[in-house]
Amino acid sequence: MKNHTVFPHSMKTYEEINKKIEARKAVVLTADEIIDYVEKKGLDAAAKEVDVVTTATFGPMCSSGCFINFGHSKPKIRMSEAWIEDVLVYTGIAAVDAYLGATQLRHNDPANMYYPGDFTYGGGHVIEELVAGKKLQLFALSYGTDEYPLRELRTYFTINDLNQVIMVNPRNCYQNYNVAINCSERPIYTYLGYLKPGMKNLTYCSAGQLSPLLNDPFYETIGIGTKVWLAGAQGHVYGEGTQHCPNVERGENGVPMEGGGTLALTANMKEMIPGYVRGVSLKGYGISLALGIGIPIPVLNPDILKRTTVWDRDIYAPVIDYSLDYPQRNSHIVCRMSYEELKKNEVIINNKVVEVSSLSSYSKALEIAEIVKDDIKKGDFLLSKPIKRLPVEQGINSLVVRKKN
Amino acid sequence: MATKKICLFLPKSEMEKPVIYHLVKDYDLVINIFRAKITAEEEGYLVIDVNGTEENIEKAMEYMRDSNVILNETNRGLQRDPDKCVHCGNCLSHCPTKALHIEDQRTRKIEFKEDLCIECLACVRNCPFGACYSIF
């Protein structure tokens, strides 16, 4: 891949598309609908006609959480430790600011002490309940200072009592993802669910042809500053996501055949819609947070449109043994499989029938792509031009465990 | 002949009654037990299939109502909360009878065909969103 640092040439501009949106005249299709549409109309005609293609995804995204400002109690406290519904929040920032992370376990959760642990409640569930408007308990401790004398506090609050609740997710929307399988003779419990021994089932986790970065494989329109629909709130991409790694093996269509790029997203949690922010309990693994995300792609030129017509048949994911190769960071893959194959009830691997599970909801993703489409058509969602392109040439480091000298 | 799936709740006061015995002996029903939790001094639950003539099944239901056995309205011990289900499809490889399945490949919504459910509870153990649960 060439080291592009500039944005692609435009046939249409963001300004022109936004004017059409404001006039409620924009032509918008989902990434699901666009496939047949371009097939029927031809690429160039469709590129002139269509202004925006909406993409979406819904699935667990562990690297998520939110910054909270509680407001000051009387007398004031400088929280040194705090828990919401017994879930620890990070308070190593200003007095009544905290960060609540999605995977944080509840205090006294036995975790995997009695394997496999159930992990029924944690950070992801607190975030779900916050958005749902539930009344939650805050317990905070402090060492006490001259200006912040209070040393202990217990109260109850809802999201409306908070000054700010800003979701800040360092890694969402993985461009593509591993398919997990278990080649060993013992059952394993992973963040991709329970995997039966002897390759009896597998789990994939991607919205495939609807997924944002699979429709913009070279980050030509989705960049830093791009406006996104994050669980109902209008937020934006604030940076490259952690582990963003465009230097991966790609198909002829340029689509990554493994992880690839990621996005760091932020939005105001007070504007979110409950059903799109859901706590996740993964037996034997822990807690996560499932999020619904929609990203519109402006049809600036025919090439950009062409890339949005990618379909499940041409998107491949690596099937990886989560009993050995994944934990040991071996590069071995069992095989590659297209999302078209994965969306069948069962697949054949090494002459064995393997049943298929998924942790990404295509149904919800489709719902979100439709919502964003409608919002744009109504003139309620304008597009924003990225202020900086995501890295298109970049690898990933591993953690080296080394001696001090 | 007919087959009917029923979920029985035996309150503490009825725990001594040999209900299944009466269903077999008095109403000539063939009983297939999916799941049972009956502990002395506590409440009891039973999920069974009864097979027999429609008339006998009706009479047996009557007998159970008269003896304070509570018949669960949904006739299921396994419940699925459609509001909690996000249709991710994690249950698909765990449901052995395909009671949980996808009908429309385009929308990929998870449908639940109650008749096929044998209450193995694999979905309860595996659902990351707590959408499937057992009433006992």
Side-chain angles (χ1 to χ4, degrees):
Chain A
M1 206 194 321
K2 272 184 267 169
N3 192 357
H4 309 271
T5 45
V6 288
F7 290 109
H9 85 280
S10 306
M11 185 179 81
K12 276 181 221 167
T13 65
Y14 281 87
E15 293 73 23
E16 284 161 0
I17 292 172
N18 275 339
K19 269 190 188 137
K20 282 181 85 175
I21 295 172
E22 280 172 322
R24 300 183 179 194
K25 284 180 180 154
V27 179
V28 191
L29 276 87
T30 66
D32 172 77
E33 295 165 332
I34 197 69
I35 301 169
D36 288 344
Y37 194 83
V38 169
E39 173 77 30
K40 202 171 69 192
K41 293 263 174 168
L43 186 66
D44 289 329
K48 283 193 190 103
E49 210 177 307
V50 180
D51 300 303
V52 183
V53 174
T54 59
T55 66
T57 185
F58 181 99
M61 304 188 200
C62 289
S63 225
S64 301
C66 57
F67 281 104
I68 296 173
N69 178 278
F70 291 104
H72 284 284
S73 56
K74 185 182 166 78
K76 289 182 180 178
I77 185 169
R78 208 234 74 83
M79 296 176 184
S80 53
E81 289 162 282
W83 295 259
I84 302 175
E85 292 294 312
D86 294 337
V87 175
L88 185 72
V89 295
Y90 179 75
T91 48
I93 41 181
V96 289
D97 281 348
Y99 185 79
L100 164 60
T103 67
Q104 188 69 50
L105 304 189
R106 181 163 52 183
H107 182 68
N108 276 343
D109 189 310
N112 269 339
M113 197 182 289
Y114 308 101
Y115 178 84
D118 282 330
F119 303 100
T120 50
Y121 189 91
H125 301 91
V126 177
I127 294 171
E128 170 180 335
E129 291 182 345
L130 261 174
V131 172
K134 291 208 174 136
K135 188 177 274 184
L136 303 174
Q137 178 188 233
L138 166 67
F139 179 64
L141 296 173
S142 172
Y143 46 82
T145 70
D146 288 337
E147 72 277 50
Y148 296 108
L150 194 64
R151 294 187 57 176
E152 189 177 325
L153 174 152
R154 191 186 300 273
T155 184
Y156 297 84
F157 68 97
T158 72
I159 193 166
N160 297 321
D161 298 318
L162 302 171
N163 287 315
Q164 284 79 25
V165 203
I166 312 295
M167 193 172 266
V168 178
N169 306 338
R171 179 165 78 247
N172 286 168
C173 289
Y174 235 124
Q175 195 157 17
N176 200 345
Y177 213 79
N178 294 344
V179 178
I181 199 165
N182 176 8
C183 300
S184 78
E185 294 310 311
R186 67 183 169 101
I188 60 170
Y189 295 85
T190 73
Y191 64 73
L192 285 169
Y194 171 61
L195 299 171
K196 301 175 194 179
M199 302 206 304
K200 286 192 199 67
N201 71 332
L202 58 74
T203 310
Y204 71 92
C205 190
S206 169
Q209 63 190 22
L210 257 188
S211 189
L213 290 179
L214 289 174
N215 283 280
D216 185 10
F218 302 118
Y219 329 116
E220 290 173 294
T221 68
I222 303 173
I224 299 168
T226 294
K227 197 148 94 174
V228 303
W229 187 98
L230 180 49
Q234 293 191 10
H236 63 270
V237 178
Y238 73 79
E240 63 181 86
T242 51
Q243 296 181 20
H244 175 80
C245 178
N247 290 5
V248 291
E249 205 167 323
R250 289 172 184 253
E252 279 172 23
N253 52 7
V255 172
M257 298 207 277
E258 53 192 296
T262 66
L263 301 175
L265 303 181
T266 182
N268 185 353
M269 243 166 73
K270 291 193 179 198
E271 294 165 12
M272 291 186 183
I273 305 169
Y276 299 104
V277 184
R278 294 290 308 277
V280 177
S281 295
L282 291 153
K283 193 186 271 290
Y285 170 74
I287 303 289
S288 188
L289 179 72
L291 287 172
I293 296 163
I295 306 185
I297 293 178
V299 181
L300 303 175
N301 63 45
D303 286 344
I304 286 170
L305 180 66
K306 178 147 195 348
R307 296 195 243 283
T308 67
T309 61
V310 72
W311 57 349
D312 287 335
R313 187 175 296 179
D314 294 326
I315 309 169
Y316 285 82
V319 180
I320 293 186
D321 179 9
Y322 269 57
S323 72
L324 178 69
D325 294 329
Y326 183 84
Q328 294 305 324
R329 220 185 75 204
N330 300 335
S331 57
H332 174 255
I333 65 168
V334 177
C335 62
R336 287 189 201 276
M337 210 149 246
S338 76
Y339 284 100
E340 184 184 58
E341 290 170 272
L342 291 166
K343 281 178 181 175
K344 291 172 185 155
N345 291 334
E346 48 190 45
V347 294
I348 307 285
I349 297 177
N350 299 346
N351 297 319
K352 286 188 66 152
V353 177
V354 185
E355 291 194 278
V356 180
S357 273
S358 153
L359 265 180
S360 174
S361 172
Y362 192 80
S363 160
K364 283 263 177 196
L366 211 52
E367 208 174 278
I368 293 161
E370 290 288 344
I371 293 172
V372 179
K373 179 175 92 175
D374 290 344
D375 285 354
I376 295 171
K377 279 181 157 180
K378 283 186 289 184
D380 295 340
F381 194 113
L382 293 175
L383 310 190
S384 60
K385 186 177 178 174
I387 52 170
K388 194 178 175 207
R389 194 165 182 177
L390 293 172
V392 291
E393 192 70 43
Q394 177 169 292
I396 187 169
N397 293 334
S398 299
L399 180 60
V400 181
V401 180
R402 58 167 74 91
K403 295 262 170 20
K404 195 176 175 188
N405 297 317
Chain B
M1 297 293 264
T3 303
K4 193 176 169 68
K5 188 175 173 186
I6 46 181
C7 178
L8 313 180
F9 170 66
L10 289 84
K12 203 171 169 183
S13 61
E14 304 304 316
M15 285 297 291
E16 300 296 307
K17 280 203 182 116
V19 178
I20 299 295
Y21 167 84
H22 285 292
L23 296 185
V24 175
K25 185 88 172 145
D26 303 349
Y27 303 100
D28 197 23
L29 298 178
V30 177
I31 310 291
N32 188 13
I33 301 177
F34 288 108
R35 229 157 35 98
K37 187 182 173 190
I38 305 207
T39 320
E41 300 295 311
E42 283 177 31
E43 300 165 331
Y45 291 90
L46 264 170
V47 183
I48 57 175
D49 247 0
V50 293
N51 180 272
T53 66
E54 277 181 37
E55 194 193 344
N56 277 346
I57 291 176
E58 201 35 61
K59 279 187 191 160
M61 303 277 278
E62 204 58 45
Y63 151 75
M64 287 187 284
R65 284 189 204 102
D66 288 347
S67 30
N68 288 329
V69 173
I70 295 162
L71 298 166
N72 186 288
E73 279 175 39
T74 57
N75 290 337
R76 279 189 285 135
L78 186 279
Q79 303 275 323
R80 174 167 169 262
D81 184 343
D83 291 337
K84 283 196 169 172
C85 178
V86 303
H87 306 276
C88 62
N90 183 53
C91 51
L92 293 173
S93 75
H94 302 293
C95 180
T97 61
K98 306 285 168 231
L100 291 157
H101 63 281
I102 287 172
E103 263 163 40
D104 182 346
Q105 281 298 329
R106 192 186 160 259
T107 61
R108 297 189 65 81
K109 271 200 183 323
I110 305 297
E111 310 287 342
F112 181 44
K113 202 159 190 285
E114 285 176 39
D115 316 351
L116 294 178
C117 176
I118 54 165
E119 308 223 348
C120 67
L121 306 188
C123 54
V124 177
R125 287 191 298 275
N126 282 290
C127 181
F129 297 93
C132 291
Y133 61 96
S134 168
I135 62 165
F136 64 95

